[in-house]
Amino acid sequence: MALSFTKSLRADLPASIVVFLVALPLCLGVALASGAPLFSGLIAGIVGGIVVGSLSKSKLSVSGPAAGLTVIVLAAIEAAPSYGAFLLAVVLAGVLQVGFAASRSGVLAEFVPSSVITGMLAAIGLILILKQVPHAVGYDGTYEGSFEFFQSDGRNTFSAIWDALTQSLTPGAVLIAGVSLIFLFWWDKARPKDGFLRFVPGPLVVVLIGVGGNALLGVIMPAWQLGADHLVSVPVANSFEQFASFFATPDFSQIGTPVVWTTALTLAIVASLESLLSVKAVDELDPQRRTTPKNWELMAQGGGNIVSGMIGGLPVTSVIVRSSANVDSGAQSQASTIMHGFWLLLSVALIPFALNLIPLAALAAVLIATGYKLTKPRLFTDRYKQGWSQFVPFVVTITAILFTDLLIGIGIGLAVGFVFVIARNFRPAITFACDDLDCIVRARRNLYFIHKYELQRELNRVPDNAQLLIDLSSTNYVDLDNVDVINAFIKGAKFRGINVIVRGDIAERSSQLINAPLIGVRFA
């Protein structure tokens, strides 16, 4: 056991550092876009790591403030009587999520087709690349973690890239991002399999390259050195009292305010959906293919939101960007998630000035490399080989997420995916054949209500005086409506001179299964 823990820690420790570096700008960016104090995003990141990581049974999922909630949070903060009232809504949202867990609502995640989940992952990868290109070349006008196609500054994903390349190109940022990307892709292939260096995370080296490179530019080429507007910006406290002032508490006097409850219900539903989808996706990425208990995850997320709201943080969800970085970094247990929360806490409390030296271009390189691994070309070819019923929902999900946002895109992908599921079930389930008066009606799979008309149609084709075999050997379930159709046919068959034989275990067990035995028939 001790050896296993040591082995896990060797993987989880460097992974936690990578997740910390990825989470830091995202926590700040989501808070900025939400119209909340910057430190509230860091609080949510810390709670998502330490609290949710401790409660969750997901080995690799990482929680924190999510870009998918920014619009809701921004509107809620503006509508709430005070920031304390908004924090109360976050706490109540957590309580509601615990209620969702108790009602076993997590089962909804199991109905999401795998093509939609992989489409979501590929879309996240593409968005990471597209959204980080401007940061990599020095345009930092949009917040980190922005996922929506239409941006608050009037641009969209593609126009922002064009403007960044043509109007906001910053040589220092391009140089740092370029060197960082080259190193990351080289490190993936050249990383030693043995020795101390195998534990050194590439993103940490990239951060050192960024900080050192920017300092060097200040000496040899000051015009290229990146200023504060191109660096991480963590709130700095000059004393413990000032640091403590960054935290806030809910205003429980607003418990009867309708907007508080409306916000709480909205946050609970959206955060739960995003968490369930994210955890489902992380299970797909997990090399060990471990499965997360979805109802327990809702409870963990609810606990996280209660704590986050109580100390001044934004609502938390499981977040696929941080989670995928965690998986990609080789994490093996939730220790990585928990440690990343501690790194956030310690760094913002003890060394915020050091964090504020990190170029956003270096972190953009880390996210671009992560995005590429989520959307490798092989992912597309594999889905194409699986057929149109897998490929079309996959592509539609990607396209919809790219041009809307995460939850809307997934909704569109689900709709298309369910169309294909329904279409598959409407394919012929019954075959009919006759050789003179020797006939067979065969069920190719389980028979449900939607197959009732098809079964009736094929039985009506049986000629008088025929020898009919109804073959149910490929089924293990025939619903009551189809049993009634078969029973009705058998009752009338003797008046038409038709001799009916039924084959299959389901026929013999029908009285036990559905309490409606097939009557007047011989079993083959």
Side-chain angles (χ1 to χ4, degrees), residues 346-464:
L346 292 175
S347 61
V348 299
L350 303 177
I351 55 168
F353 55 87
L355 299 179
N356 289 341
L357 298 175
I358 302 175
L360 293 175
L363 297 177
V366 173
L367 289 170
I368 289 172
T370 299
Y372 173 77
K373 292 170 184 175
L374 285 174
T375 187
K376 288 182 177 179
R378 181 179 175 182
L379 186 64
F380 291 80
T381 58
D382 287 347
R383 280 294 167 184
Y384 179 76
K385 291 175 183 177
Q386 292 172 355
W388 293 111
S389 63
Q390 294 293 313
F391 186 67
V392 172
F394 170 74
V395 172
V396 168
T397 301
I398 294 173
T399 305
I401 292 175
L402 282 177
F403 288 99
T404 57
D405 62 28
L406 185 63
L407 290 177
I408 294 176
I410 289 173
I412 294 172
L414 282 173
V416 174
F418 287 142
V419 166
F420 277 89
V421 170
I422 293 171
R424 283 198 300 272
N425 280 285
F426 272 106
R427 288 183 301 178
I430 312 291
T431 57
F432 171 82
C434 267
D435 180 11
D436 194 14
L437 292 178
D438 291 324
C439 301
I440 182 172
V441 172
R442 173 179 289 125
R444 300 165 62 182
R445 56 182 182 274
N446 291 344
L447 298 181
Y448 300 98
F449 173 79
I450 59 175
H451 302 119
K452 179 179 177 180
Y453 168 75
E454 184 182 359
L455 176 62
Q456 182 72 67
R457 183 188 64 200
E458 300 305 330
L459 288 173
N460 288 341
R461 296 174 62 184
V462 178
D464 293 345

Side-chain angles (χ1 to χ4, degrees), residues 124-136:
I124 294 294
L126 288 172
I127 289 173
L128 281 177
I129 295 171
L130 295 171
K131 291 292 189 179
Q132 291 302 317
V133 166
H135 295 290

Side-chain angles (χ1 to χ4, degrees), residues 171-436:
V174 174
L175 180 61
I176 290 172
V179 172
S180 298
L181 278 172
I182 292 171
F183 172 81
L184 285 171
F185 285 108
W186 170 81
W187 187 246
D188 280 342
K189 296 181 179 180
R191 189 174 187 171
K193 303 298 182 184
D194 299 305
F196 173 75
L197 287 179
R198 67 189 169 119
F199 298 115
V200 176
L204 178 60
V205 178
V206 162
V207 167
L208 297 176
I209 290 173
V211 174
N214 196 42
L216 183 61
L217 286 175
V219 175
I220 64 175
M221 199 169 293
W224 283 25
Q225 185 179 28
L226 299 177
D229 54 340
H230 297 297
L231 307 176
V232 170
S233 179
V234 175
V236 178
N238 297 318
S239 65
F240 176 79
E241 290 75 16
Q242 188 177 4
F243 179 74
S245 70
F246 291 155
F247 296 85
T249 56
D251 182 1
F252 286 97
S253 67
Q254 299 292 332
I255 191 71
T257 305
V259 70
V260 169
W261 286 98
T262 302
T263 300
L265 181 61
T266 304
L267 288 174
I269 292 173
V270 177
S272 297
L273 287 173
E274 188 158 344
S275 293
L276 290 174
L277 291 168
S278 178
V279 168
K280 182 79 172 174
V282 174
D283 289 347
E284 293 274 343
L285 292 174
D286 185 1
Q288 299 182 41
R289 307 300 292 178
R290 291 166 290 192
T291 302
T292 301
K294 305 305 185 298
N295 292 308
W296 190 278
E297 184 63 24
L298 285 179
M299 185 278 296
Q301 296 294 333
N305 276 317
I306 291 172
V307 174
S308 185
M310 289 295 291
I311 60 176
L314 294 176
V316 299
T317 73
S318 175
V319 189
I320 190 60
V321 175
R322 273 157 269 191
S323 301
S324 59
N326 196 35
V327 175
D328 182 57
S329 301
Q332 294 187 7
S333 75
Q334 59 262 56
S336 172
T337 299
I338 297 170
M339 285 189 288
H340 115 275
F342 278 110
W343 302 147
L344 280 172
L345 176 60
L346 292 175
S347 61
V348 299
L350 303 177
I351 55 168
F353 55 87
L355 299 179
N356 289 341
L357 298 175
I358 302 175
L360 293 175
L363 297 177
V366 173
L367 289 170
I368 289 172
T370 299
Y372 173 77
K373 292 170 184 175
L374 285 174
T375 187
K376 288 182 177 179
R378 181 179 175 182
L379 186 64
F380 291 80
T381 58
D382 287 347
R383 280 294 167 184
Y384 179 76
K385 291 175 183 177
Q386 292 172 355
W388 293 111
S389 63
Q390 294 293 313
F391 186 67
V392 172
F394 170 74
V395 172
V396 168
T397 301
I398 294 173
T399 305
I401 292 175
L402 282 177
F403 288 99
T404 57
D405 62 28
L406 185 63
L407 290 177
I408 294 176
I410 289 173
I412 294 172
L414 282 173
V416 174
F418 287 142
V419 166
F420 277 89
V421 170
I422 293 171
R424 283 198 300 272
N425 280 285
F426 272 106
R427 288 183 301 178
I430 312 291
T431 57
F432 171 82
C434 267
D435 180 11
D436 194 14

